């Protein structure tokens, strides 16, 4: 994170990432100058004193700091329940898909089409990010979320009347997917402004709601056996709309002081893809999402392929959800202590090892349950850590808009991840037919591990650059925006217009400039909290 520092050349401050996060990132706090050594005067001016243990003289301008709790914990609970009743319900599609395939409900439908239905419900929620931002701006966050709740209800309820596979595309894929986006994307943007030091824990607790799939998988399996296919869809629709509308009215945005420059909602910007840290985070999510989606929907089919019953397959999928529910808060708490990028790197590499070893060797009910629990805890690390990592590497003000930009780019893996995995399985014989799919999933997490190592190295470069600037007594170090390249976005645009070069050529130049020194082995492997 960048900012403006008043430093003492004799004793340069030792600021960790949490302290750096407090430093203002623009010129709009110039009115606070002269108050930085007087906490009471700084409060009266609208600023926030630095944390205890940080020399006030070392920080000239301080931004609006989140309360780190308060009503934010109510929003954590609400977003948790939203995740339970969006991604938790969506995870039950694997149970429905197994039922449709086993009973040949739609003879004209292929396995590939069933996989696309589940993928479409996720990808549509992401690809409509820019449209959802416009709707949110017009209706407000709360009523956008209510609209999403009603669309999810309509999609689930209408799925009960499906008599052709394209009906499932319209109800589960399109209607429910659009509802997911209208509910989930605004909800996830509410949390970061309420927290600072406990941001990862809060996001971990909230996203653990996706582990609600453990309940929905078990309930869905039981309802299919007792109530039948149609009433199972209807019960899911009624329960979800009740919880989602309640949570929409519990959620509220935290007003951010306009003096921080953070109150203005940023819109989608294609140039964000050219920033080194954003590109690395995007590629990490893009690659690992192929594996995560494939893993989520493949386990019930794999379970039946090794001789387990459909009921046992639903329990295995439920254990994957339990791993998500238990693992995400734990990952959040540990990442606040040991570093957000460090924990994401550990989880991603661990999941790669599990997929390439334990999953391939799991040929029993107990072995598959152990794998599902372990993989669930680490496999979804992208969704539980991406927002805190963005807040550190970009800025709190920009993180919500850039999160939407990244979601837009994840459409391809969420749509085709499971379809690719099923195509790899198609035509194989016996238990070993899943090995190509298992290797594919493991390799996606290996690729994510490599990208996180580069992101970690980049962040260390940024921290060292700021430390060097403070040590030499410089008043302005780093970049005008947190984690941004050496030239501002405006400078880049002017340069493009002046020279007539394409945006793509300009982006490549930015990447070469900001990535200098990132490839150092020392930075790749040095022990540091980032």
């Amino acid at each position: 994170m960048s900012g403006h520092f008043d430093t003492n050349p004799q004793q340069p401050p030792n600021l960790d990432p949490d302290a750096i996060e407090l430093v203002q990132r623009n010129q709009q706090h110039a009115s606070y100058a002269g108050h930085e050594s007087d906490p009471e005067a700084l409060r009266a001016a609208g600023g926030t004193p630095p944390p205890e243990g940080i020399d006030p003289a070392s920080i000239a301008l301080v931004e609006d700091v989140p309360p780190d709790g308060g009503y934010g914990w109510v929003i954590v609970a609400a977003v948790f329940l939203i995740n339970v009743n969006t991604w938790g319900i969506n995870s039950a599609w694997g149970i429905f898909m197994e039922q449709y395939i086993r009973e040949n409900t739609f003879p004209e439908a292929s396995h590939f089409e069933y996989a696309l239905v589940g993928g479409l419900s996720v990808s549509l929620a992401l690809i409509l990010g820019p449209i959802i931002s416009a709707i949110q701006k017009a209706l407000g966050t709360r009523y956008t979320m209510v609209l999403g709740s009603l669309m999810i209800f309509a999609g689930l309820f209408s799925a009960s009347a499906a008599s052709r596979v394209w009906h499932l595309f319209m109800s589960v894929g399109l209607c429910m997917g659009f509802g997911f986006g209208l509910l989930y994307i605004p909800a996830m943007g509410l949390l970061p402004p309420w927290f600072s030091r406990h941001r990862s824990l809060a996001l971990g607790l909230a996203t653990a709601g996706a582990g609600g799939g453990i309940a929905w998988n078990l309930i869905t399996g039981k309802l299919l056996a007792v109530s039948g296919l149609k009433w199972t869809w209807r019960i899911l629709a009624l329960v979800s709309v009740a919880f989602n509308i309640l949570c929409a009215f519990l959620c509220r945005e935290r007003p951010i002081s306009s003096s921080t420059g953070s109150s203005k909602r940023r819109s989608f910007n294609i140039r964000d893809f050219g920033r080194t840290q954003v590109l690395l985070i995007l590629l990490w999510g893009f690659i690992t999402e192929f594996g995560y989606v494939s893993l989520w929907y493949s386990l019930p089919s794999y379970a039946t392929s090794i001789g387990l019953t459909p009921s046992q397959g639903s329990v295995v999928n439920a254990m994957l959800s339990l791993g998500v529910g238990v693992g995400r808060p734990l990952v959040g708490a540990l990442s606040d202590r040991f570093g957000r990028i460090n924990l994401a790197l550990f989880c991603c590499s661990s999941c790669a090892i599990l997929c390439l070893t334990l999953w391939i060797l799991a040929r029993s009910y107990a072995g598959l349950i152990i794998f599902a629990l372990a993989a669930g805890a680490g496999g979804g690390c992208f969704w539980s850590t991406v927002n805190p990592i963005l807040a550190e590497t970009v800025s709190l003000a920009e993180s919500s808009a850039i999160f939407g930009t990244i979601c837009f780019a994840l459409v391809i893996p969420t749509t085709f991840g499971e379809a690719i995995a099923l195509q790899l399985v198609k035509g194989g014989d016996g238990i070993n037919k899943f090995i190509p799919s298992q290797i594919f999933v493991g390799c996606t997490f290996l690729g994510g591990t490599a990208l996180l190592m580069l992101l970690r190295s980049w962040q260390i470069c940024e921290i060292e650059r700021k430390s060097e600037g403070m040590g030499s007594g410089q008043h302005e170090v780093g970049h005008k925006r947190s984690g941004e390249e050496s030239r501002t976005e405006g400078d880049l645009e002017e340069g493009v217009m002046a020279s007539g070069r394409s945006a793509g050529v300009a982006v490549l130049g930015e990447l070469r400039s900001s990535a200098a020194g990132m490839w150092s082995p020392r930075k790749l492997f040095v022990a540091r909290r980032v």
Side-chain angles (χ1 to χ4, degrees):
M1 308 277 160
S2 60
H4 303 278
F5 298 91
D6 262 342
T7 61
N8 182 347
Q10 304 301 320
Q11 287 187 328
N14 182 20
L15 298 179
D16 66 10
D18 287 329
I20 293 174
E21 185 180 328
L22 299 175
V23 180
Q24 180 53 279
R25 290 176 283 273
N26 54 51
Q27 300 286 353
Q28 296 184 24
H29 275 280
S31 60
Y32 296 169
H35 298 305
E36 53 269 7
S37 61
D38 185 349
E40 295 303 321
L42 185 58
R43 283 194 187 91
T48 304
E52 185 178 352
I54 301 298
D55 182 6
S58 69
I59 302 178
L61 301 173
V62 184
E63 70 174 0
D64 180 79
V65 177
D68 217 26
Y71 193 81
W73 292 115
V74 176
I75 298 177
V76 168
V79 177
F80 172 89
L81 289 174
I82 286 172
N83 275 283
V84 168
N85 292 286
T86 51
W87 304 122
I89 284 182
N90 189 65
S91 71
W93 171 248
I95 308 298
F96 283 109
M97 184 172 68
E98 179 66 21
Q99 172 94 352
Y100 284 129
I101 293 173
R102 188 177 68 254
E103 296 192 356
N104 198 26
T105 307
F106 306 119
E108 77 281 6
S110 66
H111 289 200
F112 183 80
E113 288 175 308
Y114 283 124
L116 283 182
V117 171
L120 184 62
S121 65
V122 178
S123 62
L124 191 67
L126 304 180
I127 197 173
L128 295 175
I131 296 175
I132 290 167
S133 295
I135 294 173
Q136 186 179 357
K137 189 174 182 180
L139 299 182
T141 299
R142 178 170 294 167
Y143 291 106
T144 300
M145 294 170 67
V146 170
L147 178 60
S149 303
L150 295 175
M151 291 197 69
I152 293 171
F153 169 78
L156 289 169
F157 201 89
S158 60
S160 67
S163 58
R164 296 286 188 277
V165 71
W166 69 266
H167 295 168
L168 292 177
F169 274 99
M170 297 299 294
S171 57
V172 178
L174 293 178
C175 190
M176 195 168 77
F178 196 8
F180 279 177
L182 287 168
L183 186 60
Y184 171 78
I185 291 178
M188 291 304 295
L190 294 175
L191 282 172
W194 287 92
F195 296 91
S196 54
R197 292 185 182 274
H198 300 302
R199 185 176 295 137
S200 291
L201 175 60
L203 266 294
L205 288 169
T207 57
I214 183 175
W216 285 122
N217 277 279
L218 295 174
I219 290 171
T220 299
K222 188 67 174 178
L223 285 174
L224 285 172
V226 174
S227 304
L229 188 64
K230 291 184 177 181
W231 271 105
T232 300
W233 281 118
R234 293 167 186 167
I235 291 170
L236 265 60
L238 292 169
V239 173
S240 70
V241 73
F243 276 105
N244 287 336
I245 289 181
L246 172 64
C247 293
F249 281 96
L250 285 174
C251 287
R252 71 185 188 202
E253 293 180 282
R254 173 180 174 260
I256 302 177
S257 171
S258 60
S259 62
T260 65
S262 304
S263 58
K264 183 178 179 181
R265 188 185 299 278
R266 267 199 53 188
S267 59
F268 175 85
N269 191 338
I270 194 68
R271 286 192 176 276
D272 287 329
F273 292 130
R275 298 166 66 177
T276 303
Q277 71 277 40
V278 174
L279 186 60
L280 289 172
I281 293 171
L282 185 152
L283 290 175
W284 162 43
F286 186 88
I287 292 175
T288 56
E289 199 65 12
F290 273 111
Y292 185 58
V293 171
S294 301
L295 175 64
W296 200 272
Y297 293 132
S298 294
L299 275 184
S301 297
Y302 178 76
T304 56
S305 76
I306 62 174
L308 302 182
T309 66
S311 176
Q312 289 174 319
S314 68
V315 171
V316 170
N317 225 32
M319 292 301 103
L320 184 65
S321 298
L322 178 61
V324 170
V326 174
R328 288 189 178 181
L330 183 61
V331 168
L334 291 175
S335 64
D336 282 331
R337 179 180 177 87
F338 297 107
R340 283 126 189 186
I341 299 176
N342 289 342
L343 257 293
L345 178 60
F346 173 78
C347 290
C348 199
S349 59
S350 298
C351 199
I353 294 170
L354 286 169
C355 290
L356 294 173
T357 55
L358 185 56
W359 189 13
I360 293 176
L361 298 175
R363 303 296 171 87
S364 66
Y365 189 34
L368 203 53
I369 284 179
I370 292 171
F371 166 75
L373 286 169
C381 64
F382 174 79
W383 295 106
S384 59
T385 58
V386 62
N387 277 290
I389 288 175
L390 280 172
E392 280 192 359
T393 57
V394 200
S395 76
L396 184 60
E398 296 178 299
S399 61
S400 180
I402 293 180
F403 176 66
T405 303
I406 290 173
C407 286
F408 179 80
L410 298 183
V411 170
I412 292 176
T414 53
T415 303
F416 298 105
E418 172 60 5
I420 291 173
L422 283 178
Q423 288 299 107
L424 291 173
V425 171
K426 187 178 179 181
D429 295 322
I431 297 175
N432 293 329
K433 69 180 181 180
F434 274 87
I435 289 181
S437 178
Q438 292 164 329
I439 293 174
F440 166 73
V441 173
C443 287
T444 63
F445 286 108
L446 282 178
T449 299
L451 289 162
L452 281 170
M453 290 182 70
L454 292 177
L455 179 65
R456 184 177 185 275
S457 178
W458 181 91
Q459 181 72 346
I460 291 173
C461 285
E462 290 298 296
I463 293 173
E464 289 182 351
R465 186 181 302 175
K466 294 174 179 64
S467 298
E468 290 169 3
M470 289 187 290
S472 62
Q474 295 177 357
H475 290 280
E476 293 188 13
V477 294
H479 314 288
K480 178 138 186 184
R481 291 186 307 185
S482 169
E484 191 171 344
E485 290 74 19
S486 56
R487 285 178 291 169
T488 64
E489 185 178 34
D491 294 335
L492 177 59
E493 291 172 351
E494 291 175 7
V496 171
M497 289 188 295
S499 64
R501 294 179 301 166
S502 68
V505 173
V507 162
L508 289 176
E510 285 295 296
L511 294 179
R512 283 197 302 269
S513 171
S514 62
M518 190 175 70
W519 309 96
S520 165
R522 183 184 67 81
K523 292 185 176 64
L524 286 172
F525 300 105
V526 66
R528 187 158 187 173
R529 176 182 176 269
V530 289

